[in-house]
Amino acid sequence: MKELSLHVLDIAQNSITADATLVEIEIVEDTKKDILTITVKDNGKGMSEDFLKKVRDPFTTTRTTRPVGMGISLFESAAKSTGGQLLISSALGVGTTVTAEFVHSHIDRQPIGNMADTFLTIINTKPEIDYVYTHKFNGAEFTVDTREIKNVLMEVDITTPDVLVWLKENIEQSLNDIMGGKQ
Amino acid sequence: MKSLAELEAIRNKTINAMNIRKDGENGIRIVVGMATCGIAAGARDTLNAISEELAKRNVSHATVSQTGCIGMCRLEPIGEVLEPGKEKVTYVKVDREKAVRIVNEHIINNKPVVEYTIGAVEK
Ligand SMILES: Nc1ncnc2c1ncn2[C@@H]1O[C@H](COP(=O)(O)OP(=O)(O)O)[C@@H](O)[C@H]1O
Ligand code: FES
Ligand SMILES: [Mg+2]
């Protein structure tokens, strides 16, 4: 993957496949502590303890179209290559939380990339469920929550092109605001 | 956060348009494979390029959506064009540029871009 936002897209697709109805994405950047963490939390079907032990192995998958899975192992190597780590907690019937920790300034840390596109793509994957994206940068933060948006839209689909354009501009502008123009 | 009032204005405008437009039922479906290999190969941009071009050209007889693994990793990003009564056309290694051409030539002008299809690439 070229950007961390593509990993986010892929990991969130796991949550959707696991029948989540709420997927929460949080990115926290702390340049003083030199940490970047990305968390994808869902309320999907979860994984058993046994399965969780082997899920980082690329040969672990429940998909039927090919013998190897790899989203999680790719995300883990991206974190590890910066001196960070990947944490997964999961419980059957409760949900799953995947957290990747990166050393912010590490030369091998991939750029975050286009989170607006990733968020829009996730919404389009399954518009019926809800998504929250929070981004924190050195104490400043913003959140976008599809439940709030749907409350305003009522019978209008969240995938209406004009709505998506509004959402994209909203995310881009908000990211720019919290970073004080550093993006 | 941009104002929710703006969103509400979009909502009202859309509701008015909804009463006029009624399509997509018998239209063309374009699907893009969005499993891990697809995403790694650039499928997010492919998908966006297609929906942007459809919007730009005001195409109302075709929609684009995502699908999971199509099973041909090294040919990703893959896009399939499904049209009622016609055979499925599979495009491989679809980048932004190819996506734009496929929309214009295949979807709008009804001439599949043969050189991008799996049959031509696999020869
Ligand atoms: N959020 C999740 N909830 C439940 N199960 C998950 C979740 N994420 C991953 N899994 C399980 O772990 C397996 C491996 O995931 P991954 O590495 O992304 O590969 P793939 O999605 O291609 O199978 C999945 O097949 C699925 O069974
Ligand atoms: S595993 Fe599905 S295309 Fe590669
Ligand atoms: Mg996966």
Side-chain angles (χ1 to χ4, degrees):
Chain A
M1 306 267 177
K2 286 196 213 103
E3 309 173 352
L4 295 177
S5 67
L6 294 176
H7 286 284
V8 173
L9 174 56
D10 188 47
I11 297 299
Q13 305 276 17
N14 283 347
S15 300
I16 294 169
T17 308
D19 295 328
T21 58
L22 181 65
V23 182
E24 296 169 89
I25 297 161
E26 187 183 63
I27 299 184
V28 180
E29 297 184 72
D30 187 328
T31 54
K32 284 171 208 106
K33 288 189 190 146
D34 202 15
I35 302 175
L36 164 66
T37 59
I38 299 179
T39 305
V40 178
K41 179 179 175 207
D42 69 56
N43 62 354
K45 65 181 180 217
M47 291 175 263
S48 69
E49 243 172 83
D50 275 352
F51 193 86
L52 199 54
K53 279 186 201 139
K54 54 182 190 185
V55 72
R56 293 152 198 267
D57 180 337
F59 292 100
T60 297
T61 180
T62 51
R63 72 163 63 249
T64 50
T65 42
R66 78 174 133 88
V68 294
M70 55 184 191
I72 289 177
S73 53
L74 281 176
F75 202 27
E76 177 165 47
S77 24
K80 281 192 162 162
S81 68
T82 72
Q85 59 176 336
L86 186 85
L87 308 165
I88 311 173
S89 65
S90 188
L92 279 176
V94 180
T96 301
T97 303
V98 176
T99 304
E101 297 177 353
F102 301 82
V103 173
H104 199 288
S105 66
H106 197 284
I107 182 143
D108 290 327
R109 197 217 1 121
Q110 296 160 315
I112 292 175
N114 195 333
M115 274 304 298
D117 274 359
T118 279
F119 197 63
L120 261 53
T121 308
I122 294 169
I123 292 175
N124 267 315
T125 306
K126 198 171 181 189
E128 313 83 89
I129 68 168
D130 285 299
Y131 307 92
V132 181
Y133 167 36
T134 303
H135 199 123
K136 300 182 181 170
F137 184 87
N138 289 345
E141 69 171 275
F142 93 93
T143 293
V144 47
D145 185 332
T146 59
R147 288 170 299 193
E148 257 177 48
I149 292 168
K150 287 175 183 172
N151 272 342
V152 175
L153 290 175
M154 292 187 275
E155 69 272 51
V156 169
D157 215 332
I158 194 164
T159 58
T160 305
D162 287 346
V163 173
L164 293 178
V165 168
W166 177 85
L167 198 56
K168 187 176 161 107
E169 285 172 2
N170 190 349
I171 294 173
E172 283 167 354
Q173 189 185 314
S174 306
L175 278 176
N176 208 52
D177 289 347
I178 63 165
M179 293 188 192
K182 263 186 244 151
Q183 160 140 327
Chain B
M1 187 80 162
K2 290 175 62 149
S3 78
L4 289 176
E6 237 175 81
L7 187 61
E8 208 164 339
I10 295 173
R11 177 192 112 83
N12 295 335
K13 200 180 111 202
T14 309
I15 288 196
N16 293 334
M18 270 186 343
N19 302 327
I20 309 165
R21 231 187 314 126
K22 255 215 185 97
D23 38 40
E25 297 275 292
N26 289 309
I28 302 176
R29 284 202 316 128
I30 309 167
V31 297
V32 178
M34 291 286 289
T36 304
C37 342
I39 294 172
R44 186 189 67 188
D45 287 347
T46 306
L47 188 75
N48 284 339
I50 295 172
S51 51
E52 281 165 23
E53 196 62 19
L54 290 175
K56 199 162 119 194
R57 305 270 169 235
N58 270 316
V59 176
S60 61
H61 67 290
T63 56
V64 61
S65 58
Q66 306 174 26
T67 184
C69 170
I70 297 179
M72 296 178 283
C73 312
R74 74 209 152 76
L75 298 176
E76 298 278 348
I78 297 179
E80 296 177 333
V81 177
L82 310 159
E83 198 172 346
K86 287 194 185 167
E87 210 163 312
K88 170 175 88 183
V89 178
T90 302
Y91 290 108
V92 300
K93 298 188 180 174
V94 186
D95 57 16
R96 270 188 167 272
E97 243 167 80
K98 290 185 185 172
V100 168
R101 243 188 97 185
I102 290 165
V103 169
N104 284 287
E105 296 181 24
H106 188 158
I107 308 301
I108 299 175
N109 292 331
N110 209 4
K111 287 195 195 78
V113 190
V114 177
E115 61 195 282
Y116 300 161
T117 59
I118 183 160
V121 171
E122 286 288 78
K123 243 178 236 160

